[in-house]
Amino acid sequence: MCQKVSCICLFILLFLTSCASRKQLLTTASGGAGDDSIKIWRTIKRLPVGSKGVRRLTVYDIAHPDIPSSFEGCKLAFISDLHYRSLLKERGLKNLMRLLYELKPDVLLLGGDFYESCSDMKPLVDSLSHLRPLLGTYAVLGNNDYERCYEEALSVLNDAGIEVLEHNVDTLYHGEEKILLAGVRNPFDLRKNGVSPSCGLSDEDFVILLTHTPDYAEDVPITHADLVLAGHTHGGQVKVLGYAPVIPSHYGRRFLSGLCYNSDRIPVIVTNGIGTSRINVRLGAPSEVVLIRLHSLYISGE
């Protein structure tokens, strides 16, 4: 009897430990050419098992010398690969929006692959547009979005006040200080889009590059980018004993999930995304929302 009780207690302890938030300093290395040092912390919070839509919140605290002081603590929520009405359906979308409201981001960034059916685009965007973060909502499109209903998707997003960054740059202001947000148009067509929209920018600015696939950060020079945000891989979507049989990347596990680096040591954050493709199953690659908190100075006491 005592042995059974001990086993049950051990199981409960392991379960609670796995659900706890864990903060970890990931890097203090130099960034890309010309950059000074960068520090990145990650905190992973697993959401309740009964949650639909999103199972994990991953928070990255990023300290970089090019982040202006007025952006101290600025919050950017990043979600990608919703594939609406795949594994993500109405109830899951409501839970996702509830979490985003609770996070109160200053900026919402959308990484593409919005829908499975063209008719699902408008109800999805209608929900997302209700958030209205202080500094706006920005999007790039994914391969699914370019393959069908492209013009309709652009129209729906623009009508909702969501700016689609089709190989252009926008400026986010706090007072007179700024950071720059660059978005990649169809990163799979390098013949047309093989010059990064970050290339014409300055090393003095903090530049975030938003692209659907992380491969873009390795396929082309992303000069002046300080941070890349990407999706597309779904974290493998199905992993067995840590192995993902299918990874939609030319670079295999290198850009599978989490914090990665390209050959120039520019950090690339790859989200697992929200929805699913091909089969409505996730295993070992929980759906997630990424929250990025910016810091103008290194966090003391960490």
Side-chain angles (χ1 to χ4, degrees):
M1 180 66 179
C2 290
Q3 186 175 5
K4 288 183 179 179
V5 172
S6 298
C7 290
I8 293 172
C9 291
L10 178 60
F11 175 79
I12 293 172
L13 178 62
L14 290 173
F15 176 77
L16 292 175
T17 302
S18 68
C19 293
S21 298
R22 295 172 292 129
K23 190 168 186 177
Q24 179 183 11
L25 176 60
L26 297 182
T27 183
T28 57
S30 294
D35 285 340
D36 293 320
S37 58
I38 180 173
K39 285 188 177 182
I40 301 177
W41 292 261
R42 180 178 65 192
T43 306
I44 297 175
K45 180 180 180 182
R46 289 177 173 82
L47 302 180
V49 174
S51 298
K52 295 286 186 180
V54 57
R55 291 292 308 281
R56 185 170 80 184
L57 171 64
T58 305
V59 181
Y60 293 89
D61 286 281
I62 297 179
H64 191 285
D66 289 342
I67 296 175
S69 59
S70 63
F71 281 85
E72 174 66 39
C74 181
K75 297 187 292 186
L76 295 77
F78 173 47
I79 58 175
S80 186
D81 299 273
L82 289 100
H83 291 275
Y84 185 49
R85 291 203 175 104
S86 59
L87 193 60
L88 177 71
K89 295 182 172 62
E90 288 86 348
R91 180 182 169 190
L93 179 57
K94 288 180 180 178
N95 288 338
L96 169 62
M97 293 307 300
R98 186 179 300 114
L99 175 60
L100 290 173
Y101 277 113
E102 290 174 358
L103 294 175
K104 298 179 181 177
D106 299 290
V107 185
L108 176 61
L109 303 177
L110 308 171
D113 274 6
F114 288 94
Y115 50 85
E116 288 295 281
S117 172
C118 299
S119 62
D120 292 328
M121 182 63 177
K122 191 174 188 313
L124 170 65
V125 173
D126 284 347
S127 291
L128 293 172
S129 66
H130 290 154
L131 187 64
R132 299 191 181 280
L134 179 65
L135 299 181
T137 299
Y138 299 84
V140 293
L141 301 183
N143 50 296
N144 280 21
D145 310 319
Y146 287 107
E147 289 166 3
R148 58 185 185 275
C149 315
Y150 167 69
E151 296 294 342
E152 181 181 345
L154 282 180
S155 176
V156 169
L157 289 164
N158 288 329
D159 288 347
I162 297 173
E163 183 167 350
V164 183
L165 297 172
E166 290 273 75
H167 238 66
N168 58 319
V169 180
D170 207 339
T171 305
L172 306 183
Y173 283 101
H174 262 172
E176 296 183 357
E177 294 182 312
K178 65 182 180 181
I179 62 174
L180 301 180
L181 179 62
V184 177
R185 177 184 57 229
N186 195 353
F188 303 94
D189 187 350
L190 298 184
R191 184 176 60 84
K192 291 183 178 179
N193 305 316
V195 177
S196 171
S198 65
C199 286
L201 304 179
S202 169
D203 263 339
E204 296 179 358
D205 291 313
F206 185 75
V207 178
I208 299 172
L209 182 67
L210 185 62
T211 175
H212 181 64
T213 174
D215 286 11
Y216 193 82
E218 188 66 22
D219 288 340
V220 305
I222 53 170
T223 311
H224 305 307
D226 297 296
L227 175 67
V228 180
L229 303 180
H232 185 58
T233 66
H234 295 201
Q237 189 169 308
V238 175
K239 293 167 67 177
V240 180
L241 299 177
Y243 171 72
V246 179
I247 303 174
S249 168
H250 296 306
Y251 301 98
R253 292 183 57 85
R254 181 176 176 187
F255 296 123
L256 177 61
S257 179
L259 179 63
C260 315
Y261 292 90
N262 72 352
S263 293
D264 292 325
R265 294 295 295 167
I266 298 172
V268 182
I269 292 176
V270 183
T271 178
N272 287 354
I274 304 292
T276 52
S277 62
R278 298 185 182 179
I279 57 172
N280 289 343
V281 174
R282 274 192 178 271
L283 180 64
S287 54
E288 72 174 348
V289 167
V290 168
L291 183 70
I292 296 164
R293 296 187 296 214
L294 302 180
H295 302 281
S296 60
L297 298 173
Y298 293 155
I299 302 172
S300 60
E302 295 288 350

